[in-house]
């Protein structure tokens, strides 16, 4: 089963938040969806420009239809792309699917959010929260972006390990997103932790390895 089918991605704007694989998920979905329609990849925060897609500062319908899939954003001084000059509503009118990386985690597998985060477009029809399984059993101080916020919401200490229980407490307290995807599940222990997490949540949860292109529904 393709990832877009598993996650139930519909035409319109889909936002990806959290940590542990947002960019990989965006381009995996883009590859699949471009066989069904036109796709725009973009960000409301920062992403590195891809080397496998046309990168445009402004998008028009002819350009999207010609390439089937493009990336758009404003170039920044650091070499990354920031939010595009066109609104998400405008982009949604130019392509069948708009995929938005709407969060930053500094490469860490788990993300706790401050009040101004994530930057999900108001027009997003679905939001997926990613969690990296590489964070399980590692100290909070090593695995979590915004560790102070994580500790405040879960009662964990910076030296405590990230567990299914405190991760479920975080996801429940923040109440962000429509579904959860646990990425980097490449060993039986990681799958067991993901299954335990699924038992503590009341929303759809998926697990797998985006790089290995394997995934399944847990709940």
């Amino acid at each position: 089963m393709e990832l877009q089918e598993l996650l139930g991605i519909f035409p319109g704007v889909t936002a990806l938040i959290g940590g542990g694989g947002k960019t990989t998920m965006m381009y995996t979905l883009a590859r699949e969806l471009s066989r069904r329609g036109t796709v725009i990849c973009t960000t409301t925060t920062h992403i590195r420009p891809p080397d496998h897609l046309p990168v445009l500062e402004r998008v028009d319908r002819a350009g999207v239809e010609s390439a089937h899939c493009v990336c758009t954003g404003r170039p920044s001084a650091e070499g990354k792309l920031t939010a595009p000059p066109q609104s998400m509503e405008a982009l949604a009118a130019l392509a069948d699917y708009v995929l938005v990386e709407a969060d930053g985690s500094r490469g860490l597998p788990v993300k706790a959010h401050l009040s101004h985060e994530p930057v999900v477009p108001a027009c997003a029809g679905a939001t997926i929260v990613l969690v990296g399984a590489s964070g399980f059993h590692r100290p909070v101080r090593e695995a979590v972006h915004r560790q102070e916020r994580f500790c405040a919401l879960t009662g964990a200490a910076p030296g405590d390990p990230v567990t299914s229980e405190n991760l479920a407490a975080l996801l429940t307290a923040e109440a962000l997103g429509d579904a959860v995807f646990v990425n980097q599940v490449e060993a039986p222990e990681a799958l067991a932790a993901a299954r335990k997490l699924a038992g503590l949540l009341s929303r759809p949860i998926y697990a797998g390895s985006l790089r290995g292109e394997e995934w399944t529904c847990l709940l």
Side-chain angles (χ1 to χ4, degrees):
M1 179 184 292
E2 288 192 335
L3 183 63
Q4 58 83 20
E5 184 180 358
L6 180 79
L7 299 178
I9 303 299
F10 292 100
V13 178
T14 299
L16 308 177
I17 66 172
K22 296 183 298 296
T23 303
T24 303
M25 176 174 279
M26 180 167 69
Y27 294 136
T28 299
L29 289 172
R31 183 179 70 251
E32 295 177 354
L33 294 169
S34 64
R35 296 193 286 264
R36 295 170 169 259
T38 52
V39 183
I40 295 174
C41 297
T42 190
T43 184
T44 54
T45 55
H46 297 84
I47 56 171
R48 296 190 181 280
D51 55 14
H52 66 289
L53 293 177
V55 178
L56 310 171
E57 186 166 352
R58 295 193 68 86
V59 178
D60 59 36
R61 187 178 298 276
V64 178
E65 291 179 349
S66 174
H68 292 286
C69 184
V70 302
C71 181
T72 183
R74 285 190 179 95
S76 71
E78 298 79 23
K80 293 185 177 182
L81 299 175
T82 61
Q86 292 158 284
S87 69
M88 294 298 159
E89 291 83 357
L91 294 179
L94 297 173
D96 298 309
Y97 303 93
V98 179
L99 304 174
V100 186
E101 188 166 323
D103 207 357
S105 61
R106 298 198 176 182
L108 293 172
V110 179
K111 169 73 181 280
H113 297 85
L114 299 180
S115 59
H116 63 280
E117 299 171 317
V119 191
V120 176
C123 61
T127 300
I128 300 168
V129 185
L130 282 92
V131 175
S134 64
F136 284 123
H137 313 305
R138 288 170 57 191
V140 169
R141 68 166 67 92
E142 295 179 7
V144 180
H145 183 40
R146 310 282 193 222
Q147 59 169 293
E148 297 86 355
R149 182 64 174 161
F150 183 95
C151 293
L153 290 175
T154 67
D160 290 344
V162 174
T163 64
S164 301
E165 289 84 358
N166 57 33
L167 190 51
L170 173 75
L171 293 168
T172 300
E174 292 190 329
L176 297 171
D178 305 294
V180 176
F181 188 96
V182 183
N183 187 30
Q184 304 166 342
V185 174
E186 296 159 357
E189 311 84 66
L191 181 57
R195 289 192 183 281
K196 191 171 185 180
L197 175 64
L200 298 169
L201 297 177
S202 58
R203 68 183 111 165
I205 179 166
Y206 309 92
S209 169
L210 291 171
R211 294 197 182 278
E213 298 191 355
E214 296 181 354
W215 35 70
T216 189
C217 179
L218 299 181
L219 181 65

